[in-house]
Amino acid sequence: MEMLKGFLFAWVIAFSLATIAVAQNDPSGFINIDCGIPAGSNYTDIITGLPYTSDECYVSGGVDSKISSIYEPNSPQRQFLTVKSFPLGTKNCYTLTPNEGKFGKYLIRASFLYGDYDGNAQLPNFDLYIGGDYWDTVTISNESTVIMKEIIHTPSTDSISVCLVKIDTTTPFISALELRPLNTTIYPTLSKSLKLFVRLNLGSLTNQYIRYVSSILLILQDQIIFIVLHVDYRTR
């Protein structure tokens, strides 16, 4: 039994390291967008040490707003203090141009904290598309909860479109958009996209969300980060 546990432990660590190796060792390939901060502004996140920039070079249109001060203490990171909303148009898209273009494989994360930024207390509901394919539906259940949507994507062109699509009378918005280059040999699949199904941190005693930098340290402390994804074939 102990041998089996040791084997599984070693396998999961090797799998986890292979998954994050490219991104962890070369953050120069990262794209970190704080949606809603003033055009031309940038900063270094104090938690991850990663640089974030405004979205002016990635999207056209939209309205920059701050979340309500009531919900600022609930914001786990600086990226969730502002949002970009899209009251006009049915479909508004961010265009990402990663260094490796269509020859790369990428983890893309879109994050949302409503925070009653518009003062309407009307919880939004909208779709996400990657390129022309349906990714997921964002359903905001309350003002103070952060929602994150992740997908591993292999593009067919050198640029990647991440689109917010209006599906009812509420307004789509986004807090942050991030891209991480991955090793192209991981997650082999016939589909070009793999949507996150669940992420489990086995061994944690704090239930703390793990970000860049901390993940390597946690592995060294005998905690295992294990990611399980499933293929999303749906289009809409």
Side-chain angles (χ1 to χ4, degrees):
M1 184 64 180
E2 290 301 320
M3 289 182 61
L4 177 60
K5 288 171 64 177
F7 172 78
L8 291 175
F9 181 80
W11 185 88
V12 171
I13 287 182
F15 181 86
S16 301
L17 288 174
T19 301
I20 59 177
V22 173
Q24 293 285 4
N25 291 333
D26 185 17
S28 62
F30 290 12
I31 296 176
N32 308 303
I33 305 171
D34 187 339
C35 308
I37 62 175
S41 57
N42 58 78
Y43 63 88
T44 298
D45 186 83
I46 61 173
I47 297 176
T48 64
L50 294 174
Y52 280 78
T53 186
S54 67
D55 60 9
E56 63 172 324
C57 296
Y58 300 95
V59 67
S60 298
V63 178
D64 296 337
S65 304
K66 293 182 178 180
I67 65 171
S68 169
S69 58
I70 297 174
Y71 300 103
E72 286 184 3
N74 299 101
S75 174
Q77 289 178 254
R78 181 172 174 177
Q79 295 85 50
F80 300 112
L81 296 177
T82 58
V83 305
K84 172 85 80 176
S85 62
F86 299 94
L88 301 179
T90 301
K91 186 176 185 180
N92 290 272
C93 300
Y94 282 78
T95 301
L96 308 179
T97 309
N99 293 340
E100 298 176 19
K102 63 184 178 182
F103 300 105
K105 180 176 288 187
Y106 310 96
L107 185 147
I108 299 170
R109 178 190 301 119
S111 304
F112 312 86
L113 175 62
Y114 173 53
D116 197 23
Y117 73 87
D118 52 6
N120 293 330
Q122 187 176 19
L123 302 178
N125 182 53
F126 53 92
D127 282 346
L128 281 179
Y129 276 69
I130 188 158
D133 298 326
Y134 172 75
W135 171 0
D136 209 342
T137 296
V138 178
T139 300
I140 305 299
S141 57
N142 62 64
E143 290 87 351
S144 60
T145 298
V146 173
I147 291 179
M148 293 185 178
K149 301 294 184 179
E150 292 186 13
I151 195 168
I152 289 179
H153 182 64
T154 303
S156 56
T157 64
D158 288 333
S159 62
I160 302 171
S161 295
V162 177
C163 303
L164 287 71
V165 179
K166 190 180 183 77
I167 58 175
D168 57 21
T169 59
T170 61
T171 299
F173 77 95
I174 186 169
S175 301
L177 184 60
E178 299 162 297
L179 177 144
R180 305 288 183 260
L182 299 175
N183 190 314
T184 56
T185 62
I186 66 170
Y187 302 116
T189 174
L190 296 177
S191 172
K192 63 181 180 180
S193 298
L194 294 170
K195 188 176 73 172
L196 178 68
F197 176 65
V198 66
R199 175 180 285 110
L200 302 175
N201 183 359
L202 307 179
S204 173
L205 300 177
T206 64
N207 199 30
Q208 183 180 3
Y209 189 77
I210 305 303
R211 288 300 308 266
Y212 174 78
V213 178
S214 298
S215 55
I216 288 291
L217 296 178
L218 285 176
I219 288 175
L220 296 178
Q221 294 169 7
D222 293 336
Q223 296 190 39
I224 305 172
I225 298 170
F226 189 58
I227 303 173
V228 180
L229 302 105
H230 77 278
V231 180
D232 187 1
Y233 290 102
R234 294 174 297 170
T235 57
R236 195 166 94 184

